[in-house]
Structure formats: C-alpha cells, structure tokens
C-alpha cells in the first residue's frame, strides 16, 4: 500500500475511528486501526467487538492498493506530531509501515489486515432519518439517567422507539425517567431497540451540529448502524425486555407550578452547597401560593431560597435529591417549564408548557427518614442542654 493524504484530514478521521479502539483487551489487534486502500479508495476502521466505526473514502491519492493494521495510539501520536502538511504512508510485505511527513520519517511494525475482525453486516434497507444535531440533543438530554449498575444491564442503555412518526428516546435508572421525542422524516415500520449507553456517548462526540446534516439509522435484530455520511458506526444492541414506563406518566396532579428554568437551577445549586451527600441530605421544596421555598440542612449548615412561580393547586412539602432535579432541568432549553406534583411521596413530572416533546419523572425522598432529620434533632438537643 502506498498513498498520500493531508495531515489534518488524516488526523480528523483518526480521531473519529479512535472512539471504537479497545483500550482494555487481551487481543492486540483490537488496539489497532485498519488502513485499507482498494478500489473504493482509502478508508480506516476500528472495532472493539461491541462498537465499530468505518470511515467513508478519505480524500487521498492512492498509489498502490493494500491493507495493514497499525497500533492506534502510536499512529495517532506520530501523525499529530509530524511537521509537514502532507503524509505519505507506505507498507511492505513484512507488514511494516513507513510514515513520512515534512522532515520526519517513521517505520513501525503493523499486523496483517487479514487478522482484523470484520464489522457486523447490517443491511441498509429501511432507513430511519433525522438531523444529526437533533439526535445529538436527544441523547444529551436523556443519557444522564441511564443506570450505572451492571446488574441491571438493560438499563445501561437507552430505549429507542420508532413509532407515532417519531423517534422516542427513554432512559431509566430506578430513580427517574427521562423521555424525549423528535419527528422522523419518512414513513417507517415501528420498531423498539435498546442501544448501549457507551455507544451513544461516543456517537455524540462525532455527530455534526450543523442543521442540514442527516443521520440514517438501520437495524437488525442484534445491531444498529448509524450512517453519518463521513463514517458509519455499528453497535450491538442490548438484549432483554425494557422496563414498561408509559403508565408512570400521568396528566393528573394536585399541584402544578410554572417556573423559570434557569432561576430554579440556580436556586437548587445554591441550596445543595450545604450538602455533602445528596442522597442523605435532600433539598426540601415547600409549594406555597406563587412561591417555591427551597431549604436544605446538614451538619455543615442551612440554606434557604425562594423562587417565584405560577401555582395551581394545593400547598405541599416534598424532598428530592437535588442532582436529579438539576440534571433534568439543565437538559431543557425552554425558558419556563411546568412541574406536576401528586403528593409528598409520589414522583414529580417536569413537562413543557405546550406539547409532549419531553417528560422527566423524578422520585422523591422520604423527609422523615433522611439523615438530615437526625442531625437536626441532635443540634436541637445540644441547644436545649
């Protein structure tokens, strides 16, 4: 193989395929990037057996066809540090590759391309199409509430539901539910799959933020393929039955508030400053007519906040892990949101003022069982003495 390619072009595509290079493996070939020059042109591939990425043909001058696998870390560092604008790659029959750029020249041992694992074959028949930036936002606005517990493997991914002319993305970690949806561009067959959270995290790093750029999704029973134009990403799907979540969302409420999103975020962040452990030291919300009182107490001190709002319904007190509220609110771009409450021990639901583009359900904490109550009693006893 022999070819010439621009340094910046080569570096950009290395950064893309690096997302699928294995960092912990007993198989050295999985730490490599496969370089291929054939009748299609010059492409690069990485595959960690759970996630694979292959570039579209890269702008390069292919002088001789060939294939080689080269260790990704050293290849990236060499290309990044070369002092020329053009890189020449040349291999020999002993699987060594010579990399030349500017006044620099490196010769590195590689491995036979025949040993590199092929990407799973995903037939590109029925496409589910939406904007890349829209998919990026759907993932960003839900990924924070996937489960981190390996014992609940199915919840370490996100549910992708293609139905009702939209892509619906759902994540659940046992304490909260995040739901987002966005229209799809064409008629399609309804489908439901669970995509690993690790795949989606890497995908967001390479999805375009340009509104005109599209992504096409293709599925088999075990894999999903994301066609981004300049590259394709293939991932395994998680197997199993996802948690039924629809009945948790309800239109019923005893109290609803309409509140400024940013003001509420800032108040919650300030109140949580006195908490070292959000699970043991919650923030308490007291719903009063047209004002939300937020308090927090711990052995460090106390915090008190008032946030004005439009209140509809009964007065109520309820406690939450502040991080769960903050993460949901940060994922919302609307200036104002509606929050529905059905009781002090029932979940609250954050929804838009109009439509059903998103819903965030968060379980409360029992105020009477909180660690903070024990500390408050201890302090009161000390004061009395």
């Amino acid at each position: 193989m022999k070819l010439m390619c621009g340094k910046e072009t080569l570096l950009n595509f290395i950064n893309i395929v690096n997302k699928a290079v294995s960092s912990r493996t007993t198989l050295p070939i999985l730490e490599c990037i496969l370089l291929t020059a054939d009748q299609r042109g010059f492409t690069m591939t990485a595959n960690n057996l759970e996630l694979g990425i292959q570039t579209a043909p890269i702008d390069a001058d292919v002088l001789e066809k060939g294939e080689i696998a080269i260790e990704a870390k050293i290849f990236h560092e060499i290309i990044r540090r070369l002092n020329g604008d053009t890189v020449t790659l040349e291999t020999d029959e002993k699987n060594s590759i010579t990399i030349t750029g500017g006044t620099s020249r490196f010769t590195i041992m590689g491995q036979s391309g025949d040993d590199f694992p092929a990407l799973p074959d995903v037939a590109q028949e029925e496409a589910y199409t939406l904007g890349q930036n829209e998919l990026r936002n759907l993932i960003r606005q839900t990924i924070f509430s996937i489960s981190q517990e390996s014992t609940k493997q199915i919840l370490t991914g996100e549910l992708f539901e293609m139905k009702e002319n939209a892509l619906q993305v759902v994540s659940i970690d046992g304490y909260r539910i995040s739901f987002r949806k966005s229209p799809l561009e064409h008629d399609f067959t309804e489908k439901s799959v669970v995509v690993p959270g690790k795949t989606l995290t890497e995908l967001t790093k390479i999805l375009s933020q340009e509104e005109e750029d599209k992504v096409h999704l293709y599925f088999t029973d075990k894999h999903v393929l994301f066609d981004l134009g300049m590259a394709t990403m293939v991932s395994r799907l998680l197997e199993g039955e996802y948690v039924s979540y629809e009945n948790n969302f309800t239109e019923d409420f005893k109290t609803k508030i309409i509140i400024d999103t940013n003001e509420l975020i800032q108040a919650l962040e300030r109140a949580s400053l006195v908490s070292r452990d959000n699970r043991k030291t919650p923030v308490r919300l007291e719903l009063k007519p047209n004002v939300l009182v937020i308090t927090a107490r711990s052995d460090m001190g106390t915090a008190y906040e008032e946030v004005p709002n439009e209140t509809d319904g009964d007065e109520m007190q309820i406690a939450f892990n502040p991080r769960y509220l903050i993460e949901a609110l940060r994922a919302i771009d609307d200036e104002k949101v509606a929050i529905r409450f059905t009781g002090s021990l029932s979940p609250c639901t954050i929804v838009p003022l109009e439509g059903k583009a998103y819903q965030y359900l968060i379980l409360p904490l029992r105020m009477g069982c909180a660690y903070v109550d024990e500390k408050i009693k201890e302090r009161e006893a000390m004061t009395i003495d």
Side-chain angles (χ1 to χ4, degrees):
M1 178 181 74
K2 184 175 182 180
L3 60 88
M4 299 175 66
C5 182
K7 173 185 171 180
E8 290 304 317
T9 298
L10 190 59
L11 194 58
N12 287 339
F13 281 98
I14 292 173
N15 287 332
I16 290 173
V17 296
N18 260 345
K19 305 293 188 298
V21 172
S22 181
S23 57
R24 296 179 181 178
T25 179
T26 57
L27 300 175
I29 194 70
L30 300 184
E31 297 176 344
C32 295
I33 294 174
L34 179 67
L35 311 181
T36 304
D38 56 21
Q39 65 278 4
R40 296 184 304 154
F42 172 48
T43 60
M44 290 191 287
T45 308
N47 185 4
N48 63 21
L49 301 184
E50 293 189 359
L51 173 67
I53 300 177
Q54 184 174 75
T55 69
I58 299 168
D59 184 16
D61 185 8
V62 177
L63 305 177
E64 294 179 12
K65 297 178 183 180
E67 191 171 58
I68 193 171
I70 181 172
E71 199 268 319
K73 185 175 181 180
I74 187 65
F75 185 47
H76 176 260
E77 287 301 314
I78 289 173
I79 301 302
R80 187 172 69 88
R81 296 174 185 272
L82 286 177
N83 61 5
D85 295 329
T86 301
V87 179
T88 300
L89 305 176
E90 186 173 5
T91 63
D92 62 20
E93 66 279 358
K94 297 180 181 179
N95 288 324
S96 70
I97 181 169
T98 299
I99 306 168
T100 306
T103 58
S104 303
R105 181 185 179 92
F106 295 83
T107 299
I108 303 295
M109 286 304 301
Q111 299 185 56
S112 171
D114 295 337
D115 299 329
F116 197 85
L119 297 184
D121 184 25
V122 178
Q124 298 183 30
E125 296 174 353
E126 183 174 25
Y128 300 82
T129 303
L130 72 162
Q132 290 194 33
N133 191 49
E134 184 63 24
L135 179 58
R136 180 176 172 274
N137 285 333
L138 289 175
I139 298 169
R140 175 183 63 84
Q141 293 160 339
T142 53
I143 195 72
F144 56 84
S145 60
I146 63 171
S147 175
Q148 304 302 318
E149 299 179 20
S150 58
T151 55
K152 300 178 180 178
Q153 188 69 20
I154 195 70
L155 296 184
T156 64
E158 292 203 310
L159 177 66
F160 274 40
E161 292 181 302
M162 282 66 69
K163 66 179 185 180
E164 299 177 359
N165 300 316
L167 168 60
Q168 300 182 167
V169 179
V170 182
S171 62
I172 302 174
D173 66 2
Y175 305 98
R176 50 192 169 164
I177 303 173
S178 298
F179 170 93
R180 282 273 180 170
K181 72 175 182 178
S182 180
L184 290 170
E185 294 190 354
H186 308 290
D187 293 336
F188 54 83
T189 303
E190 291 192 355
K191 197 170 189 66
S192 176
V193 300
V194 182
V195 184
K198 291 180 180 179
T199 293
L200 297 174
T201 298
E202 298 303 332
L203 178 63
T204 59
K205 297 175 184 177
I206 60 177
L207 283 168
S208 169
Q209 298 185 47
E210 300 297 328
E211 294 298 329
E212 65 273 12
D213 291 339
K214 305 296 181 182
V215 56
H216 307 286
L217 284 64
Y218 302 90
F219 298 94
T220 66
D221 291 339
K222 295 185 177 181
H223 294 92
V224 56
L225 183 148
F226 299 92
D227 184 354
L228 310 179
M230 84 295 191
T232 57
M233 175 183 284
V234 182
S235 169
R236 68 178 180 88
L237 297 171
L238 295 180
E239 298 181 3
E241 192 73 23
Y242 201 76
V243 175
S244 178
Y245 69 92
E246 294 92 337
N247 292 335
N248 290 286
F249 293 119
T250 175
E251 300 288 333
D252 297 332
F253 61 87
K254 289 185 177 180
T255 307
K256 181 179 78 171
I257 64 173
I258 295 176
I259 195 165
D260 184 282
T261 309
N262 193 49
E263 284 187 15
L264 181 54
I265 292 173
Q266 292 184 26
L268 288 167
E269 288 177 337
R270 289 191 296 266
S272 64
L273 290 174
V274 301
S275 170
R276 284 198 173 98
D277 188 335
N278 291 331
R279 293 170 299 177
K280 293 181 178 179
T281 311
V283 293
R284 299 189 181 194
L285 309 185
E286 186 174 355
L287 283 63
K288 297 183 176 182
N290 298 323
V291 65
L292 175 65
V293 176
I294 303 173
T295 57
R297 295 183 180 183
S298 71
D299 54 3
M300 182 182 293
T302 65
Y304 179 94
E305 296 280 342
E306 289 187 359
V307 186
N309 62 79
E310 301 174 34
T311 306
D312 176 15
D314 303 336
E315 294 188 19
M316 185 183 303
Q317 291 187 18
I318 190 168
F320 290 98
N321 180 328
R323 180 170 64 87
Y324 292 168
L325 289 171
I326 291 168
E327 288 180 340
L329 291 165
R330 281 178 178 167
I332 297 170
D333 297 326
D334 295 347
E335 183 178 336
K336 291 187 175 183
V337 295
I339 308 179
R340 299 170 180 160
F341 302 87
T342 57
S344 60
L345 297 179
S346 300
C348 78
T349 307
I350 305 173
V351 297
L353 301 188
E354 296 182 1
K356 296 182 178 180
Y358 59 82
Q359 295 188 76
Y360 294 93
L361 182 144
I362 303 170
L363 290 176
L365 298 175
R366 288 181 178 270
M367 290 183 287
C369 298
Y371 165 84
V372 62
D373 289 326
E374 298 176 9
K375 291 298 181 182
I376 291 172
K377 290 179 181 178
E378 290 177 7
R379 281 193 172 187
E380 290 175 347
M382 291 174 62
T383 302
I384 292 170
D385 293 338

